[in-house]
Amino acid sequence: MAVNFFKKKIDTFDYDQQRSCKNCGHSYKGRFCNKCGQKVIESNERTVSYFIGHIFNAFTFVDGKFWNSVKSLILRPGQMSLDISEGKDRPYMKPVGLFFVGNLIYFLFPIFQTFDTNLYSQMDYMVYSDMLSISEIVENRVALEGTSLEIFADKYANTSREISKTALILFAIYFSLIISLINFSRRKLFSDHILFGLELSSFVIHYLTILLGVVLWGMGLILSLFYDRVNLIRDDIFFFVAIPIFLYALVRGIRTFYKVSWLVSSLKSLISLVGLVISIELYRLCVFALTMLLL
């Protein structure tokens, strides 16, 4: 369908007309053959404008299911997972696809380093840095290669950036597992918990890293016009703003998806917030280990 931002296209398709499938010869009514799934190609779908619109949709994600999904993430957390688990998945993107779209946008336009941690942060600022003697591991590796820490840090950054793009699914897996443990219920299948975990992971990427990052970056630019250079892209500011937003998504999402009271949802949300931090730390540790292994 060609892109039209101003008015909704009127559906003039004749759903009552009997058709013979051009692919398998089966007789049917509607847009799709109910035997092989072949779609009826209308004359307007052969036009240049339709072709250009299709390309535009592919490269800008201007697609109804994508927008329905990202709107649901912020306006009705948990509803998308609930609908899909009950078989009503037509309005939404597949949760895995939505997650990877966010993954792609984040790594094309990185603002925060939430999912791409540099070597110096790994050595000194992670929860596990002292516990696992990360600085000592790095210093021994630098000495073994006979190079400087600065040169090694640059090599690490290049390799880590590439690994992070494919390893981000580990964060979603860890967080989904934690969510399933916190909200264990015999009324839900394990796949339902994973589905909800993917929705929350998508919320983290789309809203807490991409959108929030853009907003803080833009506010910093505006404030810099009136004051000395203002940098709002800092972890302390990010967490101060992001935590209340994510708590909102957790409380509403858990209440909607698991159909529990506000009190139960609020208590489980606080525990889930700790689970988010644990998931991010586990992900960063895995990226560090994989990067050191492949360097």
Side-chain angles (χ1 to χ4, degrees):
M1 182 184 296
V3 178
N4 191 329
F5 294 105
F6 303 102
K7 63 180 181 180
K8 185 176 181 180
K9 181 182 176 182
I10 299 174
D11 188 358
T12 58
F13 188 84
D14 186 356
Y15 291 92
D16 293 324
Q17 181 182 337
Q18 194 74 27
R19 290 177 170 81
S20 178
C21 179
K22 294 183 178 180
N23 183 56
C24 69
H26 180 69
S27 180
Y28 67 100
K29 292 181 181 180
R31 285 187 183 275
F32 298 90
C33 173
N34 57 4
K35 184 176 181 181
C36 70
Q38 175 66 46
K39 182 180 181 296
V40 176
I41 306 299
E42 299 181 80
S43 58
N44 70 300
E45 296 181 73
R46 296 190 178 93
T47 62
V48 174
S49 62
Y50 180 88
F51 179 72
I52 294 174
H54 213 63
I55 294 175
F56 186 78
N57 288 345
F59 281 95
T60 62
F61 309 111
V62 180
D63 176 85
K65 289 189 176 183
F66 174 76
W67 293 121
N68 285 339
S69 299
V70 295
K71 281 193 299 183
S72 180
L73 286 178
I74 191 69
L75 297 178
R76 302 182 306 277
Q79 189 63 50
M80 178 171 62
S81 297
L82 181 63
D83 286 346
I84 294 175
S85 68
E86 293 178 348
K88 297 177 286 188
D89 63 349
R90 288 289 294 170
Y92 307 108
M93 276 188 74
K94 297 294 184 185
V96 173
L98 183 64
F99 175 81
F100 279 111
V101 167
N103 185 4
L104 174 63
I105 296 172
Y106 172 73
F107 281 103
L108 286 176
F109 308 101
I111 296 179
F112 288 111
Q113 290 188 344
T114 308
F115 298 105
D116 183 17
T117 312
N118 63 48
L119 183 62
Y120 299 107
S121 294
Q122 290 280 10
M123 293 171 66
D124 298 318
Y125 299 113
M126 300 296 101
V127 172
Y128 51 79
S129 295
D130 293 332
M131 187 187 314
L132 300 179
S133 304
I134 300 297
S135 292
E136 184 178 342
I137 293 173
V138 172
E139 288 166 4
N140 290 340
R141 182 66 176 272
V142 169
L144 183 65
E145 295 191 6
T147 186
S148 67
L149 181 59
E150 291 75 15
I151 293 175
F152 186 78
D154 287 339
K155 287 173 56 181
Y156 178 93
N158 293 331
T159 304
S160 173
R161 193 173 299 115
E162 294 304 313
I163 291 174
S164 298
K165 295 176 183 178
T166 53
L168 190 56
I169 189 63
L170 292 175
F171 158 72
I173 292 172
Y174 295 145
F175 190 47
S176 298
L177 290 174
I178 290 173
I179 286 293
S180 66
L181 290 174
I182 295 171
N183 297 281
F184 177 78
S185 170
R186 295 186 183 277
R187 295 178 298 169
K188 296 288 186 182
L189 299 174
F190 179 69
S191 58
D192 294 334
H193 297 300
I194 298 297
L195 182 66
F196 183 57
L198 278 171
E199 178 179 343
L200 291 175
S201 300
S202 296
F203 183 92
V204 170
I205 294 178
H206 284 279
Y207 287 103
L208 299 188
T209 55
I210 299 171
L211 183 59
L212 180 58
V214 170
V215 169
L216 291 178
W217 175 76
M219 289 177 61
L221 283 182
I222 294 172
L223 291 174
S224 295
L225 297 175
F226 306 98
Y227 306 98
D228 291 336
R229 188 172 176 225
V230 178
N231 178 23
L232 299 181
I233 307 298
R234 305 201 318 257
D235 282 348
D236 55 343
I237 294 177
F238 169 73
F239 284 110
F240 178 77
V241 178
I243 286 177
I245 297 174
F246 191 57
L247 272 175
Y248 150 80
L250 280 171
V251 172
R252 284 201 59 181
I254 290 174
R255 174 171 165 76
T256 298
F257 186 67
Y258 293 103
K259 299 179 180 178
V260 295
S261 67
W262 284 111
L263 178 60
V264 172
S265 177
S266 299
L267 292 174
K268 289 188 174 182
S269 295
L270 292 174
I271 302 173
S272 298
L273 192 61
V274 176
L276 174 68
V277 175
I278 293 173
S279 301
I280 292 175
E281 292 295 306
L282 285 173
Y283 162 79
R284 287 170 167 172
L285 179 59
C286 287
V287 171
F288 172 76
L290 288 170
T291 303
M292 295 295 287
L293 183 64
L294 295 176
L295 271 176

